[in-house]
Amino acid sequence: MGVDGDLARGLSELVAPGSRVALADGCGLPYTLARPLSAVAARAGGVRLVLGWVPGPAPDLEPDAFADIRTVVGGPGARALIESGRAHRVPARLSATPALLAGPLRPDLLLATVVRDDRGDLRFGAEASWMRGLYDAGVPVAAVVSRSAPHADAGPPLAGVAVLGEVDGPDGAPHTVATPAPGDADRAVAAAVAGLVPAGARIQFGPGRLAAALVEALDVPVAVDSGLLADAVVDLDERGLLRGTPSSTALYGSPRLYDWADRLGRAGRGTVRPVEHTHDVSRLSTDPGPLVALNTALEIDRDGQVNVEGVAGSAAGMIGGHPDFAAAAVRGPGLSVIALPAAHRGRPTLVERLGGPVTTPSHDVDVVVTERGTADLRGLGRGERRRALSALWDGAVTPDG
């Protein structure tokens, strides 16, 4: 019958007509279930699909098979679905997704990728995200067991999971992404940001060239308390500057990152935790060590409002944990930093009016950094903030602000 046929047969016993199915998010998204799920949903009729973060393309997912598709995060793999109108992107900060999925978008079934630990127990692999909350709430879980995904889950074993099959090699490995080498502008921004990070701080950063440049620029020991863990955290560890076990809700990087997280996980130091922990604003703002939240942006307006979701109708970005970490950093003794290039594709990233939604409000932004310098907005009035940002983009500030 083939692998797809076996998986479809298992799914057909679980997916009822008119039901809502959630496909677990992150780099461990069970892509191998996309084709059989589409086939089963088309036969059942009226099936509604909930997606989380889709970091890579899912070409085997057939949108016409579903009565409705909604994503509570977005991501590159969902961009075409969103921009074509085949999927609805529900605007929500990541900390709000558990409430959405426990209430108006509660699924009847969660499909996930899991791993077997050294005792044979099942656990989530490269992410815990909002899936752990659904499991704890009693939502039935069906999964493929991956023999090539990392053992990174810091939570207890999973019980009662319906195993649909086992996958290995590329079919079971998490989605991978390479980080391009930082450029001169990235290093200029990173050098300014590194000067804002005190020894013993907790830092939050995402993937990409800027994060890699920041780690290069850091020269003090820090802890990592983030939404995502990217390859840069391995660099930090290898330089002897990583304090304790990092915390994140998902891994996003290369096999080097996944192998590193797997070794920690097998040693009892899991690095992925549920959203209810990783994005808890109260915890983030009060845990020991100031939180320095480093976030990027597509654009920022002269009042300091930030857009990371898309410009001119595109779905290039996503809300994610951007507003959660920014709010947590300004509430505590830390710092909310927005770092971005002064221009993108020849157009200034400082605008009079945002080309998309406001993702993070201006009052949750402390410092803005570009390759031209730093604008410290703390304690400034609205007019003063506008002048400070205008001066930064006009190049009328010193590299130290």
Side-chain angles (χ1 to χ4, degrees):
M1 191 175 186
V3 174
D4 280 357
D6 291 341
L7 293 173
R9 183 171 56 189
L11 285 169
S12 65
E13 298 174 0
L14 300 170
V15 178
S19 61
R20 178 178 283 125
V21 178
L23 199 58
D25 72 343
C27 289
L29 187 152
Y31 288 99
T32 190
L33 293 178
R35 180 181 292 134
L37 172 62
S38 297
V40 169
R43 287 197 298 269
V47 175
R48 296 160 293 166
L49 180 65
V50 176
L51 298 171
W53 173 42
V54 188
D60 293 332
L61 193 66
E62 295 289 345
D64 290 341
F66 302 94
D68 181 77
I69 302 177
R70 295 180 185 269
T71 172
V72 293
V73 184
R79 181 174 179 177
L81 289 173
I82 297 167
E83 292 181 352
S84 67
R86 313 288 285 277
H88 302 280
R89 179 167 58 177
V90 179
R93 58 174 65 204
L94 205 55
S95 62
T97 56
L100 270 175
L101 292 167
L105 295 182
R106 182 183 173 97
D108 302 295
L109 177 69
L110 167 64
L111 299 179
T113 301
V114 297
V115 298
R116 292 192 189 278
D117 63 21
D118 294 337
R119 294 183 297 273
D121 293 324
L122 297 178
R123 298 176 182 271
F124 291 118
E127 59 284 306
S129 192
W130 43 262
M131 295 102 70
R132 174 66 69 171
L134 289 182
Y135 167 80
D136 289 342
V139 172
V141 179
V144 290
V145 178
S146 171
R147 293 191 289 268
S148 48
H151 294 58
D153 187 4
L158 306 170
V161 174
V163 174
L164 298 170
E166 297 205 6
V167 287
D168 202 353
D171 287 338
H175 175 74
T176 62
V177 59
T179 300
D184 291 341
D186 300 311
R187 291 191 172 92
V189 172
V193 173
L196 302 171
V197 179
R202 291 173 294 130
I203 60 172
Q204 172 256 328
F205 59 87
R209 300 180 313 186
L210 184 56
L214 172 63
V215 168
E216 285 182 6
L218 284 173
D219 59 1
V220 296
V222 293
V224 175
D225 199 341
S226 198
L228 296 177
L229 284 186
D231 280 49
V233 74
V234 187
D235 298 325
L236 199 63
D237 192 20
E238 291 178 349
R239 293 183 59 206
L241 296 178
L242 180 62
R243 299 174 64 247
T245 301
S247 174
S248 72
T249 200
L251 306 177
Y252 180 70
S254 73
R256 174 172 173 251
L257 170 71
Y258 301 136
D259 290 345
W260 173 85
D262 184 73
R263 290 192 297 272
L264 287 184
R266 291 181 185 276
R269 298 173 59 199
T271 53
V272 298
R273 300 173 181 274
V275 164
E276 291 90 336
H277 173 87
T278 58
H279 290 69
D280 180 349
V281 173
S282 294
R283 181 194 68 80
L284 288 168
S285 61
T286 57
D287 269 6
L291 174 68
V292 179
L294 170 61
N295 284 296
T296 58
L298 295 174
E299 58 181 3
I300 185 170
D301 71 14
R302 293 182 187 274
D303 287 312
Q305 300 181 122
V306 176
N307 168 26
V308 302
E309 297 173 62
V311 177
S314 79
M318 57 189 187
I319 297 173
H322 197 290
D324 294 317
F325 281 96
V330 300
R331 280 182 56 179
L335 202 61
S336 172
V337 180
I338 302 297
L340 72 168
H344 178 65
R345 295 181 179 176
R347 300 180 61 181
T349 49
L350 179 69
V351 297
E352 283 292 340
R353 183 181 178 87
L354 296 178
V358 176
T359 307
T360 297
S362 60
H363 54 258
D364 285 339
V365 177
D366 287 326
V367 178
V368 178
V369 182
T370 77
E371 70 276 19
R372 298 179 179 179
T374 300
D376 190 337
L377 308 180
R378 291 173 293 178
L380 301 186
R382 293 287 186 184
E384 294 171 314
R385 291 167 70 94
R386 290 178 64 88
R387 289 191 290 274
L389 288 170
S390 296
L392 174 59
W393 261 259
D394 291 341
V397 297
T398 67
D400 295 325

